[in-house]
Amino acid sequence: MTSGSAVGEHRRGGGSARIQGTGLAAALHCAVREAMHRLNAVAVAVYLLNKDHTELQVAMIGGSPPSFFTLPGRMGLDAPYASARALTSGKPAVLVDPDPADPDQQDVLPYPYVALSVPVTAADRRFGALTVLWLETHGNYRAAECADLREIGDELATALSELAGSGAAITAGPTPMLVPVGSDAATSICTPGWGVSGVPGSAGTSLMYPPRRLADLLNQATTMADIVGAAQYCVMSPFHAQALVLASASEGRLWVLGHSGASSGMVRNLHGAGLDARTPAAEAVRGRPLFISEGRSTAADPDWPDGESQTEVYLPLIGGRYTIDLPLIGSRKVVGVCCMSFPGHRGFPPEERAVLSMMAGSLGAAVERVELSTKQHAVAEYLQRQLLPPTLSELPRLTTTARYRPATVTSKVGGDWYDVIKLPGERMVLVVGDVEGHAMESAAVMGQVRTAVAAYATEGHPPAAVIDRTGRLLTALGTDLLVTCCVVALDTADGTAEVALAGHPEPLAQRPDGSIRTLQAPANVPLGVAVPDAYRGREHTLEPGSLLMLYSDGLVDWNVADPGYAAQALLSSGSREAGADLEQLADHLIADVSSPQQRRDDAVLLLARYEGAVGEGAPRTASVQIQQRDLQGVKAARSFIDDRLSAWGLAEMSDALQLIASEVVTNALIHAGSDVDVRLRAFADHVRLEVRDSDSHPPVPSPLALSEEENAEAEHGRGLLIVEALAGPWNSSPNGRGKTVSAEVPIPET
C-alpha cells in the first residue's frame, strides 16, 4: 500500500484519485501503535470497508512475523471472523482462531492466537473494525482490555470522521501497510511507495506481504481462474498495473491462460505468438525478466549483434504502454510468461524486482500444477466417456435418456456406467453400475463388467442370473474391487419389470399421477464377493406412462440419513420443474449434483419412460443413422423425415421439420465429427425431432452482431436461429458420450 509524505499524494502508477496520504496512514498507525503498547498484543490490524461496503479489507497491520501473515486480507461481512462480526453486530467479538480452516469448526487451532475485535464507527458512519491478536496462552480477554480496545477504536473512528469530512476516501489500498515491531532503522529496506513513511522496517515488511498472501492463495488454487484471480489480487493491484496477462508456452507459441484489467490489446498480441519472435514476451520465456520503460529494456544480451539497437527491437510498445514481462518458471523449465502494463512511467527498484521474480516463480509452479491436473482430468474423463455406450437403444413404447457427471474433486477416472440393451420381443434391459475407487483399474473393471452384463443379457438370461454369472466371472478374474449393479428387464408389451440388485440403490418408478414408489428387490451382495447362494430378483408391473429412474449413489448427498428418500425427493422436485420432457428432467436432476460433497463421486442417471401398449395417442417412432463422412447425409435426413411424416399422415409438417433437421444435422456433422443419429417421434399433439452426436459441447446460436473479440470465439451457429423461429423452444442435453439436440413442432389443428 502506498503512503505519501503529504495529504493528497496519489497512488503510484498514476490515474488513481484515492488519497493515501499522511492523514490516513498516520491515524491508522497511531491506533495500531497504541493498541500494541496498551494491550501487549502480538499483532494489531485495522480493517476498512471497501467503497461498495460489501467486504472488509485490511488496511494496516502492526506486529511481527509470523503473526501478521496469519490475518486474512479481506472478508465478506457475513464471514465468521471476529472483525466481520464486530462490525455487523456493533459489539466486541472474539475468535479463538483468526483464520479458521472450517467456519463450523472454530475449535481447530492452526494458529496459536486469540482474536478480539471492536467496531470502528462514529455516529451513523461505519468505517471497519480494529482487531488484536494475543497468544493462546493469554487466555480469555479481560473486561479492561476490551474497554481499552473500544476506546482506541472510538478515537480512531473520530479521526477517520474528520478525514472523511475533509474529502479523503477512507478505504484500504490494494496491499496493507505493515508496521513491524523492533525494526532497526539502519538495516531496514526503504522502498518508496510501500508501508508507512518514516517508520523503520515498514516498507520492506509491507513489500513482503503480497508474495506471502500469493503463496496462500496459490496453495488453494485448483483452476486457472483461481490463479489469475490470485495474480490480480497479489501482483497486479499492489503494483498498480493497468492490465495483467498470464500465458503458457507450448508447441513453440504463447497461449493466453487468463487476463485481468484493460488487457484486450495484450491478449490479441500474445495469444498464438511465436516463441522465435523478437518480442519482450518471447525474450522473457527464454528466462530473462524484462522491465520495459520508455521503450528500453533493462535486460542486456551479450550475444546481441553488433550495431543493432535493442531499443528498436522492443518497439512499438503494446498500445503505447509501459510493460514488464516475467518468466513463469516451473519445476525444470519456463512454462509461460506474466505480462503487466502500466499507463505511465514506472520505475522498479531492486527490491521490487526481487519480489516480482519471487511471485513469478510461485505463479509458474502453480500454472504447471494446474495444467497437469487439467490434462489428467481431461484424459480420465475421455477414457470414462469412451467406455460408456455411444447411443441408447429405444423402442416405440420406451424412451430413454442418460447422464454422466464425473467427480470434480479428483482428476482420476471413475467406475460408474450405464447401459440400455435391446432384446427381441419388445424387451429392454436397463443397467446402472458402480465400481469402487477412482483409478485406472476401476475403469478397466468397469469395462469388463459392462461387457459381461451385456453379453449375458443378450443371451436372454433374467436379471438375477445376469448379475449372478457376472459376479462369478468377476471373482474368477481376481480383482479386489467391488462392483454394485442394478439390472431391470422390462417387457414393453405388458409392463412387466424384473429387478435384480447387487448391493446397489433400488430403482424408482413414478406413476402417471406423480406418486413415486421403490421397485424393491433383495439387496444381495456386491459383485466380486464369492457367495454360495444365487442372486435373487423380484418382479413388478408398470402402468403405462410410468417413469423409471436408475442411478448411482453419487447422484444424492453422500452423508444424508436416507439416500433412498433423498433420491425420491429429487425425482419429485425435478418432475414438477421439467414436466413431461425426459431430456429436461435429466438435466434438472443431474444439475442438482453441485456441492463439493456430492461431487466427490461420479454420478450416473438413467431415465426410461414406459408409454404402454400401442394405441390411439401412443407415439410413433423412427430413426436413421448418418455416417460421419456421408456427403449425402443431410439429404438422407430430409428424405427420412419426409417419408415418415407422409406415412403418419403429417405431410403438412414436412417442410418445417426438414429445414430444422438440415440445420441441426449439418451442425452436428461439421462440429461433432462423428456419426449422427436422427430420431423422429410423433405424439398426439406434437412431433419431436432428436439429433444425437458424440460432441458434448452444446451448439451456440450466434447473434447477427458481435464485437470483434466475441466474433473470434463464436461458433457458426446462426442456422440455429432458424430452428428457434420454426420450432420455438429447443434443447441441447449432454449424455454419456455426446449430446442430444431436440426440437418440438406442434401438430396443426384440423
Side-chain angles (χ1 to χ4, degrees):
M1 175 176 175
T2 60
S3 63
S5 58
V7 176
E9 180 177 351
H10 296 288
R11 292 166 58 192
R12 297 183 58 184
S16 175
R18 185 191 305 172
I19 298 176
Q20 298 290 339
T22 302
L24 178 59
L28 300 180
H29 183 214
C30 181
V32 168
R33 183 178 56 192
E34 184 73 9
M36 289 285 298
H37 292 163
R38 289 176 60 177
L39 300 174
N40 195 28
V42 297
V44 179
V46 179
Y47 285 90
L48 297 178
L49 284 167
N50 64 349
K51 63 179 181 179
D52 298 326
H53 287 202
T54 57
E55 68 176 10
L56 284 172
Q57 298 175 343
V58 63
M60 181 177 290
I61 306 176
S64 58
S67 62
F68 47 39
F69 290 122
T70 66
L71 288 157
R74 54 186 175 182
M75 64 184 72
L77 298 185
D78 58 348
Y81 303 117
S83 303
R85 290 193 283 113
L87 178 62
T88 54
S89 67
K91 301 176 182 179
V94 67
L95 185 68
V96 174
D97 164 29
D99 196 5
D102 185 348
D104 297 327
Q105 299 179 5
Q106 296 181 12
D107 56 334
V108 178
L109 292 175
Y111 304 126
Y113 305 119
V114 176
L116 174 65
S117 296
V118 296
V120 178
T121 59
D124 59 347
R125 180 74 183 270
R126 299 194 310 169
F127 294 104
L130 178 64
T131 302
V132 297
L133 295 186
W134 289 296
L135 290 173
E136 60 183 357
T137 54
H138 177 275
N140 293 330
Y141 70 91
R142 293 175 286 275
E145 293 172 328
C146 183
D148 286 346
L149 187 62
R150 191 67 185 261
E151 179 183 349
I152 298 171
D154 292 341
E155 292 175 355
L156 175 60
T158 301
L160 295 181
S161 295
E162 295 176 357
L163 284 172
S166 66
I170 311 302
T171 54
T175 300
M177 294 178 285
L178 270 60
V179 181
V181 175
S183 298
D184 185 356
T187 59
S188 62
I189 296 174
C190 183
T191 303
W194 294 88
V196 182
S197 178
V199 177
S202 178
T205 308
S206 300
L207 185 59
M208 289 304 299
Y209 185 86
R212 295 293 296 268
R213 181 58 63 189
L214 179 67
D216 291 340
L217 294 178
L218 293 181
N219 284 338
Q220 305 170 30
T222 58
T223 66
M224 207 58 67
D226 295 337
I227 295 178
V228 174
Q232 189 275 331
Y233 176 51
C234 299
V235 184
M236 176 181 165
S237 294
F239 287 88
H240 313 304
Q242 188 180 52
L244 175 142
V245 177
L246 296 182
S248 65
S250 63
E251 300 176 352
R253 294 187 179 276
L254 287 171
W255 308 103
V256 172
L257 302 172
H259 54 95
S260 181
S263 54
S264 59
M266 297 175 67
V267 169
R268 284 194 297 269
N269 282 274
L270 287 174
H271 194 60
L275 295 179
D276 55 351
R278 305 180 74 176
T279 62
E283 286 294 317
V285 173
R286 299 187 184 106
R288 291 193 295 271
L290 300 177
F291 297 85
I292 301 177
S293 179
E294 296 180 348
R296 287 188 172 272
S297 169
T298 62
D301 191 344
D303 299 324
W304 206 270
D306 294 337
E308 184 172 349
S309 171
Q310 293 189 36
T311 302
E312 295 175 356
V313 174
Y314 298 109
L315 291 177
L317 295 179
I318 299 174
R321 291 172 295 188
Y322 301 86
T323 66
I324 62 172
D325 300 86
L326 304 170
L328 303 180
I329 302 176
S331 57
R332 297 181 179 179
K333 63 178 182 177
V334 177
V335 298
V337 62
C338 172
C339 304
M340 290 192 292
S341 70
F342 303 84
H345 176 70
R346 176 66 156 91
F348 291 90
E351 296 83 6
E352 288 187 345
R353 297 185 191 181
V355 167
L356 283 169
S357 296
M358 291 169 55
M359 291 193 290
S362 299
L363 287 170
V367 165
E368 187 176 47
R369 171 176 55 83
V370 170
E371 281 194 322
L372 178 60
S373 176
T374 301
K375 291 177 181 178
Q376 291 175 340
H377 188 80
V379 170
E381 185 174 343
Y382 175 79
L383 176 60
Q384 175 78 26
R385 293 189 183 278
Q386 289 300 113
L387 291 173
L388 295 173
T391 59
L392 297 180
S393 302
E394 287 192 358
L395 290 171
R397 303 183 184 96
L398 190 70
T399 307
T400 60
T401 190
R403 298 291 184 270
Y404 166 74
R405 285 291 183 273
T408 57
V409 297
T410 178
S411 61
K412 298 180 181 179
V413 66
D416 291 22
W417 91 94
Y418 59 83
D419 211 346
V420 178
I421 306 163
K422 187 176 181 180
L423 301 179
E426 300 295 316
R427 292 182 299 151
M428 194 80 82
V429 176
L430 310 175
V431 184
V432 162
D434 184 4
V435 182
E436 70 169 328
H438 290 86
M440 297 300 293
E441 185 182 0
S442 300
V445 171
M446 183 264 277
Q448 293 172 326
V449 174
R450 183 193 162 213
T451 302
V453 169
Y456 291 134
T458 303
E459 288 181 351
H461 298 287
V466 168
I467 60 174
D468 183 73
R469 290 171 178 252
T470 303
R472 297 179 189 279
L473 175 63
L474 191 63
T475 302
L477 292 175
T479 179
D480 294 329
L481 299 180
L482 299 180
V483 182
T484 66
C485 186
C486 171
V487 180
V488 178
L490 177 62
D491 188 338
T492 61
D494 57 8
T496 301
E498 186 176 353
V499 180
L501 304 174
H504 199 85
E506 296 171 320
L508 302 178
Q510 186 178 46
R511 299 184 180 94
D513 62 3
S515 61
I516 299 174
R517 65 180 177 126
T518 300
L519 299 185
Q520 297 179 345
N524 299 313
V525 298
L527 303 179
V529 178
V531 291
D533 300 326
Y535 285 81
R536 295 175 298 140
R538 184 171 298 173
E539 191 174 282
H540 300 266
T541 301
L542 300 180
E543 303 174 45
S546 295
L547 173 69
L548 273 175
M549 180 175 119
L550 285 69
Y551 62 97
S552 64
D553 55 7
L555 186 70
V556 296
D557 195 345
W558 60 279
N559 58 359
V560 297
D562 188 351
Y565 177 79
Q568 290 189 38
L570 180 64
L571 177 58
S572 178
S573 65
S575 299
R576 289 193 300 268
E577 294 288 336
D581 191 304
L582 205 61
E583 299 291 345
Q584 292 187 19
L585 174 59
D587 289 341
H588 179 85
L589 296 178
I590 205 70
D592 282 351
V593 188
S594 56
S595 70
Q597 289 78 14
Q598 289 172 288
R599 297 298 293 274
R600 293 178 184 274
D601 195 8
D602 297 22
V604 157
L605 172 69
L606 177 59
L607 298 178
R609 188 181 301 280
Y610 171 56
E611 305 290 354
V614 175
E616 186 177 355
R620 291 154 288 181
T621 64
S623 64
V624 65
Q625 191 173 54
I626 300 173
Q627 299 297 317
Q628 176 181 352
R629 295 178 176 83
D630 186 357
L631 299 180
Q632 302 296 321
V634 176
K635 180 180 179 181
R638 288 186 174 188
S639 299
F640 159 74
I641 289 175
D642 186 58
D643 292 342
R644 289 297 87 209
L645 291 177
S646 297
W648 295 339
L650 300 173
E652 69 275 11
M653 302 181 64
S654 180
D655 290 343
L657 281 165
Q658 283 188 60
L659 185 54
I660 293 173
S662 296
E663 297 297 338
V664 180
V665 170
T666 300
N667 207 51
L669 289 172
I670 292 176
H671 296 292
S674 68
D675 294 348
V676 176
D677 187 26
V678 181
R679 302 192 179 197
L680 203 61
R681 299 175 62 85
F683 295 82
D685 58 348
H686 69 277
V687 176
R688 180 184 180 90
L689 173 69
E690 297 178 358
V691 177
R692 304 185 180 187
D693 59 57
S694 64
D695 183 11
S696 59
H697 295 91
V700 179
S702 299
L704 298 179
L706 292 171
S707 66
E708 179 183 353
E709 186 171 347
E710 291 171 334
N711 193 53
E713 299 177 357
E715 292 190 42
H716 300 285
R718 293 190 173 96
L720 294 174
L721 299 176
I722 299 175
V723 176
E724 285 188 351
L726 293 174
W730 60 278
N731 187 47
S732 176
S733 304
N735 50 53
R737 287 180 57 182
K739 65 176 178 295
T740 299
V741 178
S742 59
E744 295 183 356
V745 178
I747 296 177
E749 296 182 2
T750 56

